[in-house]
Amino acid sequence: MTVLDRHAPAPTRRMSTRRRAASAAWRRAFLTPLLVVLAATTVLPLLYMLALSLGPRQGQLTVGAPQGLHNYRDLLTSTAVWHALGLAVVFLVGALVVELVLGLTAALLLDRLLPGNPVVRTLLLWPAVLPPIAVALVFKYLLQGDVGLVSYYLAQVGVDQAWLTEPVSALAVIVAIDVWQYTPFVILLALTALTAVPDEVREAAALDGAGPVAVARRVVLPMIKPAVIAIAMLRFIDAIQVFPTIYALTRGGPGTSTQLLTYFNYQAFFGQLQFGYGAAIAVLVVAFTIVCVMLLLAWQRRAEAS
Amino acid sequence: MSDVELTRRGALRAALAAGGALVLPGCAAGGLGSGPASGPSLGAAAENYLRRQGEKLGVPSISLLAYSAPQAEAIHQLAPRFTDLTGIAVNWTALDEQSAANKAAVSLGSGSASYDVVHLTSDLLPTYASRGWLADLDRLRRAGTVPGWGTSAYGRATTDLLRWKDTLYAAPMFLGTQLFYYRTDVFRRYGIGTPPRTFAELREVCAKVHGTQLSAIALRSAPSPSQLLFVWSAWLYAFGGSYYRRYADGSYSGVALDSPAAVRSLQLYGTLLRQYAPTGATNWSVEDVTRAFTTGRVAMVQDGAVFGGTFNDPKSSQVAGKVGTFVIPSGTAGRFVPYNCHGWGVARTSTRAAAAWLFVQWATVQATLTAAAAGPVGFSTPPIATIYTSRSYAKKYGFDDFVPSVTRTISVAEDGNVSPLRGDPNYLPGTTDWSTVGQQVSEQLSRAVTGQTSAAAAVRAAAAVVSGR
């Protein structure tokens, strides 16, 4: 009995170890297809792009022996790339700031006035699901020259603006279309975030004498700050890829005034068939995105900690 | 649109055409012959050759990538006849020009041989050929040609555009030249009896007819070699300017763009667009220009001769029956015309190159091109000059003075006035990096057209791009 007692835990330990090993094997088995898909759709294209960027500036799409960092050297010394990056930053800051300010304000109002209304939520979703190229074409006809609907009526009241052919207004239109299409999406996400704020907290603040604006600014917004940063991050990842709007509306013009980084990348790769150089620009786009996302993640972690 | 769908559609067309030929055997017109599939009659020798080659090759199908444009669509409609003769089906993919060029670059650049035949512009040919993407057609020709097919039919100004280092890489299928279209009713209303012959007269006419209801002119102005540069370069040359100083043995040297002539021509181009064109027309592409003309918003446009049929077609144009044409005006250095061509090239990595080459010959032989021009699509600029004097062509496109304007434009090109450099067959410089340089040049010049900078500063910046500084 004593002997048995002494040895009693041993089979349990063995079984537990065996079960853990089996469980790990199952986990690996379930994860493997996912990892394969991830490798095929993300890692391999990234490696291909890196390999291409180390090849000749023009040449082929087949990967050959690396020829050095000359494409990156050209990239870093090109004023055109920095110009395109600068325009991308102007677009991103403009679009994200307006979308977040408008989106959060609208969400705070809707949360109080029409809480949990499913019709509002459905309506808010539809601009975001429209294909960007279709949206761009509609805006093209609204704003075009003297026959576009918007241009025509503005001209009737004395505002004669060539929206798509003036550098500043052309970029402003690209920002405005992004704001029109995605602000409702920001409202929707912000409404979801606001459901995490308990009513008791607002009521306690109100009992302490805080008005609705003060409650929103000092209580609600700090509580949903990590979620707001996550929304900004989602919008950033999407907005950095802006392309159909530029392609349909301005083709990067007038001059290069709407040639944002992604369109500049497209021009180098397909317009000028500089595959190596185009791949290097794509690497820059990925690096820029990763750095910005890491900064936003760090900010979000700090917000969560506080 | 998938290849399968297109093949089905092709089969359906062939069936319908076959049915039509059975029911209406006497109705074939414009060179179309009777047979299982409607199409041009190439003559017994050529058709027997195609049949023999089709049997010998034993290739069931080839794949083809084309621009979604009248010149390709007209051939597409006749393609069942090629299949009928050779037994080779043509899997046709048609995309807009930019998407097709992107897809061709990926297919040819990766050596995947997704397409055996590709539609390309002569501007892209030096780039494609220098990278080894296209099959040497001279080598394929040595193995035999369809009776009646030969490069002499096209004229030197055209075939030279599709050669690189003295080797032919594509067969001409379309002639890309331009002329001025104008509203005859507007000119009559303002008492303008003769269309402008010089750029000075053009400016006077613009000032005369421009008003609040109707703008005087629209021109391509978007920053791209195929938009702004393709139109403006004829003005540059007419004013005495050039991109380079010398051309010899296929190479260009000495940058010449920073010149008073270039500044003057760009000033005029920008002034006309800012003062006499619709609002916003300083960043317009071909679609915007042609739409403005067909909807009656402008009195004049300089654009492709290929649009003649569309502009005068009541189904697609509100100004049909009121369209006149004139050749591009002269400047101090003479008259120059935009000129390029499109061709069918065979992918170098194609495993069905002989079958692809057979199709290319069938598609570019005179009988096929004559039938294509006479067909319902409105393909008005085939690359063979004699087609323009044919009865079927005159019947379809003989509005106002369109046919004489086109033939005079082709004569200007045949006389060498596509480039100011002696011996240069290219309208825009035929350098292997022109897609890069041309894009950047057009971006710089576009700044002056929109009024962001002066013509002198834009030309200086563009010249720096050409010189590689």
Side-chain angles (χ1 to χ4, degrees), chain B residues 24-406:
Chain B
L24 301 166
C27 290
L32 302 185
S34 62
S38 154
S41 170
L42 272 58
E47 293 192 348
N48 288 336
Y49 178 85
L50 285 163
R51 280 193 194 96
R52 277 199 312 275
Q53 288 297 309
E55 274 173 32
K56 193 173 131 191
L57 292 170
V59 172
S61 66
I62 56 169
S63 57
L64 177 148
L65 176 64
Y67 302 161
S68 181
Q71 61 271 26
E73 184 51 29
I75 297 296
H76 185 195
Q77 294 196 351
L78 301 174
R81 179 65 179 152
F82 172 77
T83 306
D84 182 50
L85 287 167
T86 60
I88 302 168
V90 183
N91 294 327
W92 200 285
T93 303
L95 299 168
D96 70 273
E97 185 168 336
Q98 187 61 59
S99 305
N102 294 350
K103 204 157 184 158
V106 170
S107 170
L108 298 169
S110 62
S112 70
S114 315
Y115 300 103
D116 302 296
V117 179
V118 288
H119 179 169
L120 60 115
T121 65
S122 53
D123 310 335
L124 285 171
L125 190 112
T127 308
Y128 284 18
S130 65
R131 296 187 189 190
W133 291 356
L134 299 172
D136 172 351
L137 296 191
D138 287 330
R139 190 179 57 76
L140 289 169
R141 277 168 73 188
R142 283 195 284 276
T145 54
V146 171
W149 190 93
T151 51
S152 58
Y154 308 107
R156 207 181 158 78
T158 305
T159 44
D160 279 356
L161 290 171
L162 298 174
R163 288 184 193 280
W164 189 69
K165 293 194 171 173
D166 290 332
T167 301
L168 187 72
Y169 283 101
M173 51 92 82
F174 164 78
L175 226 165
T177 190
Q178 294 198 330
L179 35 88
F180 265 88
Y181 296 92
Y182 69 96
R183 289 271 300 279
T184 49
D185 57 328
V186 174
F187 273 37
R188 208 174 302 121
R189 195 188 317 148
Y190 287 94
I192 303 164
T194 317
R197 282 162 300 194
T198 64
F199 282 101
E201 288 177 12
L202 180 71
R203 187 179 182 149
E204 283 169 23
V205 170
C206 285
K208 203 167 186 177
V209 304
H210 186 70
T212 48
Q213 297 301 312
L214 180 85
S215 297
I217 195 165
L219 301 162
R220 298 186 198 181
S221 49
S224 156
S226 65
Q227 304 301 323
L228 173 59
L229 288 198
F230 194 67
V231 178
W232 171 73
S233 297
W235 299 39
L236 167 73
Y237 303 157
F239 275 73
S242 177
Y243 290 96
Y244 291 96
R245 287 192 197 292
R246 287 172 295 278
Y247 173 84
D249 301 326
S251 300
Y252 296 84
S253 57
V255 178
L257 190 54
D258 190 3
S259 68
V263 173
R264 282 198 305 276
S265 62
L266 190 60
Q267 271 169 344
L268 177 65
Y269 202 85
T271 303
L272 294 191
L273 284 175
R274 288 192 301 275
Q275 291 184 5
Y276 305 121
T279 312
T282 49
N283 193 28
W284 272 13
S285 297
V286 55
E287 301 86 14
D288 306 303
V289 173
T290 52
R291 197 182 308 112
F293 190 72
T294 54
T295 53
R297 289 165 54 208
V298 292
M300 274 186 293
V301 291
Q302 177 189 323
D303 221 299
V306 73
F307 295 116
T310 316
F311 286 170
N312 202 48
D313 182 353
K315 283 186 224 144
S316 53
S317 168
Q318 294 172 23
V319 296
K322 295 183 280 192
V323 180
T325 56
F326 59 93
V327 183
I328 291 175
S330 304
T332 48
R335 191 195 303 275
F336 290 83
V337 291
Y339 202 76
N340 77 356
C341 71
H342 291 197
W344 297 114
V346 175
R348 193 180 59 80
T349 51
S350 167
T351 52
R352 298 169 289 197
W357 168 231
L358 202 62
F359 171 81
V360 168
Q361 292 173 86
W362 170 85
T364 55
V365 76
Q366 177 154 354
T368 306
L369 287 168
T370 305
V377 175
F379 164 41
S380 56
T381 48
I384 297 178
T386 51
I387 294 176
Y388 296 87
T389 55
S390 69
R391 201 176 301 162
S392 61
Y393 188 86
K395 190 178 167 194
K396 190 162 173 63
Y397 303 105
F399 67 88
D400 198 71
D401 45 3
F402 177 71
V403 176
S405 295
V406 175

Side-chain angles (χ1 to χ4, degrees), chain A residues 122-132 135 179-185:
Chain A
T122 310
L123 286 175
L124 285 173
L125 199 60
W126 74 264
V129 299
L130 291 174
V135 173
V179 168
W180 177 86
Q181 188 165 21
Y182 294 109
T183 301
F185 186 60

Side-chain angles (χ1 to χ4, degrees), chain A residues 48 57-62 83 140-141 144-147 160-162 164-167 247 249-257 259 266-267 269-275, chain B residues 96 98-99 102 105-111 124 127-128 131-133 215 223 278-285 288 291 297 432-433 435-436 439-440 443 446-447 450 452:
Chain A
Y48 173 66
R57 183 169 176 137
Q58 303 199 2
Q60 313 295 339
L61 281 168
T62 44
H83 173 70
K140 181 174 182 170
Y141 293 116
Q144 199 180 44
D146 45 4
V147 291
D160 197 7
Q161 174 66 40
L164 301 175
T165 51
E166 297 289 338
Y247 186 81
L249 280 177
T250 62
R251 301 270 168 132
T256 53
S257 54
Q259 211 172 72
Y266 166 81
Q267 264 301 338
F269 202 95
F270 285 114
Q272 304 170 17
L273 300 177
Q274 300 187 69
F275 299 141
Chain B
D96 70 273
Q98 187 61 59
S99 305
N102 294 350
V106 170
S107 170
L108 298 169
S110 62
L124 285 171
T127 308
Y128 284 18
R131 296 187 189 190
W133 291 356
S215 297
T279 312
T282 49
N283 193 28
W284 272 13
S285 297
D288 306 303
R291 197 182 308 112
R297 289 165 54 208
T432 54
D433 62 351
S435 45
T436 305
Q439 177 61 37
Q440 292 171 5
E443 286 165 5
S446 160
R447 293 174 194 275
T450 54
Q452 295 174 66

